[in-house]
Structures are given as C-alpha cells and as structure tokens.
Amino acid sequence: MDFRFRRRESVLEGCLRIVNEQVATVSGILREESAEGPSAADIHRARTCLKRLRALLRLVRGEIARAVFTAAEGI
C-alpha cells in the first residue's frame, strides 16, 4: 500500500487507487471487533490513513470543482 503513483498510471487512476486503499484500511481497522476497542496502534494507523487522504485532496483540489472540495473538506 504505497502512497505513490505507479509507472504508466494516470493521475486519476492513481488517486482513485490510493483513496480506495486508504479507505479500505480505515474501514478494516474500525470494523475489527475487540472487547477493549481498537488499540492505540490501530487508532494511529487509521489517523495516518485519514491524513494521507486529506493530503491527496489538497494536492488535487485545484483540479476538482470547488463545491466538491468544500463538501469533502467537512468529512
């Protein structure tokens, strides 16, 4: 799960792949059932994934409509 674009991958394909990977990781962490809840390490991993998503949004925000970016910023 690299946070990089691959060779011969379009920017759109790379962004979608990265978003899908990061969201899948976060949802996997949050879906894990444990009596004590998620561990500190799991919470850290989830927060790191969310920060990567936010960074990616900031990188491409000039290319997407302002209304879409504003709506996504509240997530």
Side-chain angles (χ1 to χ4, degrees):
M1 175 176 52
D2 290 335
F3 189 61
R4 316 170 183 214
F5 293 109
R6 297 178 181 156
R7 289 180 188 243
R8 299 188 183 131
E9 179 178 55
S10 73
V11 174
L12 177 61
E13 290 170 343
C15 288
L16 291 174
R17 178 185 52 80
I18 291 169
V19 166
N20 287 331
E21 289 173 354
Q22 298 300 311
V23 169
T25 301
V26 171
S27 65
I29 291 168
L30 296 178
R31 289 175 192 248
E32 290 176 4
E33 293 188 27
S34 172
E36 303 87 34
S39 69
D42 287 340
I43 292 170
H44 176 74
R45 280 184 30 228
R47 290 186 65 198
T48 301
C49 290
L50 292 172
K51 288 178 183 181
R52 287 179 180 157
L53 286 171
R54 187 176 65 205
L56 182 62
L57 253 182
R58 287 182 177 164
L59 284 173
V60 298
R61 72 177 159 196
E63 299 300 318
I64 57 178
R66 180 172 294 283
V68 172
F69 183 76
T70 304
E73 227 175 9
I75 295 176

